[in-house]
Amino acid sequence: MFQPTFDHQAAREAAGDLDDIQFLRALFDDIRPNVSTDIESASKALQALCFLLQQHPQYALSLRNSLLRLLNEKSVISLYSDHGIQSDLGFFTEIYRRLSHKLLPDVPDPKYLKDVFGQIFHQNSDVDWVIGMPDTVWRDFMQTLDISQGDATQQQNCIQEVKDALQVLSYRLSASGLDPELILQHEDLESNDSPFITQNIEIQKFLALSAIRAEDIQHLYTVLKRCEQLTYEIRKSNAKTGTSISLTALMQRILQQIQRMQLLLDILHGLILKHDVSQAITRLLKQLVDAECKKNNLAEYWRQNTELLALRVTENASHTGEHYIAQHRHEYYKLMGSAMGAGIIIAIMALFKIIIASYHLAPLTEAILFSLNYGLGFVIIHLLHFTVATKQPAMTAATIAATIDDHGHDSKNIHNLVNIVAQTTSSQTIAILGNVVVVIPMAILIDWLVIQATGHHFIGAEKAHALLDSNNPLISLTVLYAAVAGVCLFLSGLIAGYHDNLAAYNRIPERLGHLQWLQRLLGKDRLWRITEYIRHNLGALAGNFYFGCLLGFASGLGVMLGLPLDIRHVTFVAAFSGYALPALDFQVSHYIIATSVLGIALVGTTNLITSFGLAIYVAMKSRKVRYRHWKAFWLELFTALYRQPGKFLLPPKKPE
């Protein structure tokens, strides 16, 4: 907590024992709590300082003069226009810069207030208590300090610094608005009517005024608001046209520049028209401290730049996910039928998997063949419009997260969100049942056909026992391997969204459609149908194929690394049980039957929970869903689960 030693420090500062930087550093060192998250102690310390300044006006004068001297003697423009604004170095260049500066920090240049600011707030944990402290406490401090009491020259210098920073930001915003990658998204940005160009013209007119009125500043707010609205429109259209890391970073930088300009206008408005600027200065202080403490933070930079990219990916995935949610009985039974069709293909895929494993090939060769078997099999399932149950969560989680984004902030719409979760759960349940009830009889049928053709079972009794034991959750790591498969499912969902985004952003279907040799080979009409199919299915095809590759390489990777790494997918566990039971002439104990059923149930549940949990976590993070919204959602969900459990398993009722 702040100690009442300010009077000694002020006297020493006035006597010249401490310069302004050391004085302010020592002052905030006294305010800083021992534990950065102890907001209460920091608040009490700052309140104690305010009380001391009010009781001793000469101390307030000394502190005010120190701040004004720094604002007048140091270069302030870079602090206002750079700090907290994303750089244009490029994603990986900025990653390298942050890493190198983290290992070997810059030498502070005392001419720039940006570097001086880092000497005052010199601990990375300062962001916790500075931002965590209530705005009212900071505003009381600003009002007590009241920098507007400085002499006219100092006030004019402060106003001019804000104007200069505003001008720099205006030029940069114009340049950002003329970026070729952004113009591709909105061709009108090249014209003189572009709000990004208009704002620069209006800013120059504003800065040339000899007397500034409130109406002049309000007009600039309107101009900047148009820039902001256009930026959000382009960002929204990116859900269909796709995006890239560089475009995502550019959009972030534009919004940050606009918001900083609006904040500087707030401060300018108060300084010129003699209004209270404590609230605007508090907001600026928190932004600057946050930027200073995180300027070399790799994790924070990665999060900021991948957040919107994740949003685009999960939104693309959510368009596919909508097809996996049955909203009424007809869709419910249609989904069951498509899942049953997939069961036939999966039984054949399990057949080839057992055949490949029987040759005991080298680990890498075996992994490649497993991957091709799984990958091509899942692609065929998609081409035939069948459904693999555990492919649902990676897609439907994004759909649910999109609903959270639209309605989660309104308690009245939480009920709609719970209904979507219930529909998703019932859809996943029937899809799993559809896969399992077909794949086991299909495996038994294949074994019978092999007997008719060869006179013996497809697999021997020893192999049958090995398959049943490997899927027994009581004596093997089946559940852990099911979680690994769940991670693969989650990654396949991201891959599907990424490829949908890639196809849209790079206009792959349109570019294929303009290939002359393909037009001559296939004809324009047939080529158009193919490109339209690619437009709507490239992500799903890539996700299915790569999912198969991930499953196929998991066990091979475990062998090569000497780790207990393998996968268990509910449909294949069921298929292997279907091949094992007839190989033993169905002469099995109740224990084997019980552990087989338990294994299928646990593997299916683990597949779903793991993939669904990871997918919805990423979707939530990309939409910045807050804890308080989730608390209300979980309460409503558990209430519905207790009162209407059948709603989460049975076919949905006919919509009203």
Side-chain angles (χ1 to χ4, degrees):
M1 183 179 293
F2 177 78
Q3 301 296 324
T5 58
F6 177 77
D7 50 341
H8 301 299
Q9 293 175 348
R12 291 167 63 193
E13 184 273 336
D17 292 334
L18 287 173
D19 64 16
D20 295 323
I21 299 174
Q22 293 171 316
F23 168 54
L24 291 172
R25 178 183 175 119
L27 178 64
F28 283 104
D29 282 347
D30 274 344
I31 296 173
R32 181 183 296 108
N34 294 328
V35 179
S36 64
T37 54
D38 188 2
I39 309 301
E40 184 179 358
S41 295
S43 300
K44 289 180 179 179
L46 193 58
Q47 288 169 338
L49 175 60
C50 291
F51 178 77
L52 188 62
L53 294 175
Q54 292 166 0
Q55 296 299 313
H56 301 276
Q58 68 274 22
Y59 299 158
L61 177 63
S62 297
L63 179 55
R64 185 189 309 125
N65 288 338
S66 292
L67 288 172
L68 288 173
R69 276 196 296 270
L70 287 178
L71 289 172
N72 283 271
E73 295 173 2
K74 308 296 180 183
S75 177
V76 186
I77 297 176
S78 59
L79 180 67
Y80 292 159
S81 61
D82 293 345
H83 239 40
I85 307 294
Q86 188 160 286
S87 71
D88 57 356
L89 291 177
F91 183 75
F92 294 105
T93 306
E94 178 65 14
I95 288 284
Y96 173 76
R97 188 202 67 79
R98 290 192 177 217
L99 181 60
S100 61
H101 283 68
K102 198 176 187 69
L103 297 174
L104 192 63
D106 270 338
V107 177
D109 189 339
K111 294 184 296 185
Y112 293 93
L113 191 61
K114 181 174 67 172
D115 291 353
V116 170
F117 193 81
Q119 292 177 276
I120 296 172
F121 296 97
H122 56 91
Q123 293 189 14
N124 291 337
S125 59
D126 284 340
V127 65
D128 298 330
W129 63 270
V130 171
I131 293 182
M133 202 182 303
D135 287 353
T136 53
V137 178
W138 280 114
R139 286 204 300 270
D140 289 343
F141 173 67
M142 302 296 178
Q143 290 169 353
T144 302
L145 197 57
D146 194 9
I147 60 172
S148 63
Q149 295 299 318
D151 61 58
T153 303
Q154 290 176 325
Q155 289 292 313
Q156 191 58 42
N157 286 340
C158 289
I159 292 173
Q160 189 59 46
E161 291 284 2
V162 175
K163 286 183 175 181
D164 290 344
L166 194 62
Q167 187 175 41
V168 169
L169 284 167
S170 177
Y171 283 127
R172 290 178 181 173
L173 182 59
S174 296
S176 298
L178 292 173
D179 189 279
E181 196 169 11
L182 192 65
I183 290 174
L184 286 175
Q185 306 295 313
H186 201 289
E187 295 178 356
D188 293 341
L189 292 178
E190 283 185 306
S191 68
N192 289 331
D193 294 332
S194 166
F196 296 108
I197 297 176
T198 303
Q199 64 81 25
N200 183 255
I201 296 172
E202 296 300 325
I203 288 287
Q204 300 311 313
K205 291 180 181 178
F206 171 79
L207 295 176
L209 293 174
S210 56
I212 296 176
R213 301 169 301 168
E215 294 81 3
D216 299 323
I217 296 178
Q218 188 59 47
H219 175 63
L220 291 184
Y221 283 132
T222 304
V223 172
L224 290 175
K225 191 66 178 177
R226 286 203 296 268
C227 294
E228 190 175 38
Q229 289 172 347
L230 180 60
T231 306
Y232 281 119
E233 287 175 11
I234 296 173
R235 177 185 283 183
K236 188 175 181 180
S237 70
N238 286 348
K240 294 181 179 179
T241 60
T243 189
S244 65
I245 290 179
S246 58
L247 181 60
T248 300
L250 176 64
M251 303 287 282
Q252 284 280 70
R253 185 166 63 254
I254 287 174
L255 288 174
Q256 289 170 350
Q257 288 168 341
I258 293 171
Q259 291 161 4
R260 180 59 57 82
M261 290 175 72
Q262 291 170 335
L263 185 52
L264 292 179
L265 280 175
D266 290 341
I267 295 174
L268 201 59
H269 183 270
L271 292 176
I272 293 176
L273 303 178
K274 305 300 181 183
H275 293 165
D276 180 25
V277 294
S278 59
Q279 184 174 356
I281 293 177
T282 297
R283 287 166 51 206
L284 180 61
L285 173 68
K286 289 191 173 186
Q287 288 183 15
L288 296 178
V289 171
D290 181 71
E292 176 61 34
C293 294
K294 297 177 180 177
K295 63 182 180 182
N296 293 325
N297 190 313
L298 290 172
E300 180 68 16
Y301 182 72
W302 178 272
R303 183 194 63 78
Q304 288 176 352
N305 284 269
T306 56
E307 201 168 68
L308 288 179
L309 194 59
L311 178 59
R312 296 283 80 81
V313 168
T314 53
E315 279 187 350
N316 280 310
S318 72
H319 300 321
T320 306
E322 292 167 1
H323 302 296
Y324 288 94
I325 299 177
Q327 298 182 359
H328 48 76
R329 288 179 180 270
H330 174 70
E331 291 182 354
Y332 182 85
Y333 292 116
K334 183 179 179 181
L335 186 60
M336 180 180 180
S338 67
M340 293 173 72
I344 298 173
I345 307 298
I346 290 169
I348 297 173
M349 291 166 63
L351 169 78
F352 284 117
K353 199 267 184 183
I354 293 173
I355 292 174
I356 294 170
S358 67
Y359 287 102
H360 302 290
L361 301 170
L364 181 59
T365 304
E366 189 176 73
I368 292 173
L369 292 177
F370 283 165
S371 298
L372 291 174
N373 176 46
Y374 288 141
L376 295 176
F378 287 132
V379 168
I380 291 172
I381 288 172
H382 177 77
L383 292 173
L384 296 176
H385 303 288
F386 293 153
T387 300
V388 180
T390 50
K391 285 291 293 178
Q392 289 175 277
M395 304 296 182
T396 54
T399 304
I400 291 175
T403 305
I404 294 170
D405 187 42
D406 294 336
H407 306 303
H409 299 184
D410 187 348
S411 59
K412 295 181 181 179
N413 292 303
I414 292 289
H415 182 71
N416 297 333
L417 176 58
V418 172
N419 285 337
I420 290 182
V421 174
Q423 291 172 358
T424 302
T425 305
S426 65
S427 301
Q428 291 174 358
T429 302
I430 196 59
I432 290 176
L433 289 175
N435 284 160
V436 172
V437 298
V438 170
V439 73
I440 294 177
M442 185 65 187
I444 295 172
L445 175 61
I446 290 174
D447 182 79
W448 180 80
L449 292 174
V450 171
I451 292 175
Q452 301 305 310
T454 64
H456 55 77
H457 291 286
F458 173 59
I459 59 174
E462 184 179 353
K463 179 65 175 179
H465 282 296
L467 288 175
L468 292 172
D469 288 344
S470 67
N471 297 328
N472 184 345
L474 302 180
I475 61 174
S476 68
L477 297 176
T478 293
V479 176
L480 175 62
Y481 298 154
V484 175
V487 174
C488 295
L489 284 161
F490 158 69
L491 293 175
S492 71
L494 291 185
I495 290 170
Y498 169 78
H499 279 82
D500 278 334
N501 176 78
L502 185 71
Y505 182 71
N506 290 319
R507 305 184 67 188
I508 291 176
E510 291 84 353
R511 290 159 69 179
L512 285 173
H514 281 79
L515 288 176
Q516 296 296 324
W517 66 272
L518 267 181
Q519 291 180 4
R520 291 192 297 269
L521 180 65
L522 301 174
K524 289 187 177 181
D525 291 340
R526 187 178 291 109
L527 180 58
W528 180 83
R529 289 195 298 270
I530 292 174
T531 56
E532 282 301 298
Y533 184 84
I534 291 174
R535 184 193 309 279
H536 299 291
N537 293 274
L538 179 63
L541 291 171
N544 279 289
F545 182 76
Y546 282 110
F547 174 53
C549 293
L550 290 169
L551 293 183
F553 269 96
S555 58
L557 185 63
V559 171
M560 288 185 282
L561 297 178
L563 297 174
L565 185 63
D566 207 343
I567 57 97
R568 292 291 184 274
H569 191 270
V570 59
T571 53
F572 288 96
V573 170
F576 293 147
S577 298
Y579 284 115
L581 293 176
L584 299 175
D585 296 322
F586 298 98
Q587 302 300 312
V588 293
S589 64
H590 291 93
Y591 171 80
I592 291 178
I593 295 175
T595 53
S596 297
V597 173
L598 179 64
I600 293 172
L602 287 179
V603 168
T605 303
T606 305
N607 287 160
L608 293 174
I609 290 176
T610 305
S611 59
F612 188 83
L614 290 171
I616 204 167
Y617 173 77
V618 171
M620 285 165 46
K621 291 289 288 183
S622 69
R623 288 167 172 81
K624 302 180 183 178
V625 177
R626 297 184 181 275
Y627 168 76
R628 63 178 181 273
H629 305 134
W630 274 103
K631 188 177 179 180
F633 163 67
W634 286 118
L635 180 62
E636 179 80 16
L637 179 63
F638 287 125
T639 301
L641 191 60
Y642 174 74
R643 293 178 178 175
Q644 299 175 294
K647 184 178 181 180
F648 293 81
L649 298 173
L650 302 177
K653 294 181 180 180
K654 187 176 180 180
E656 298 179 1

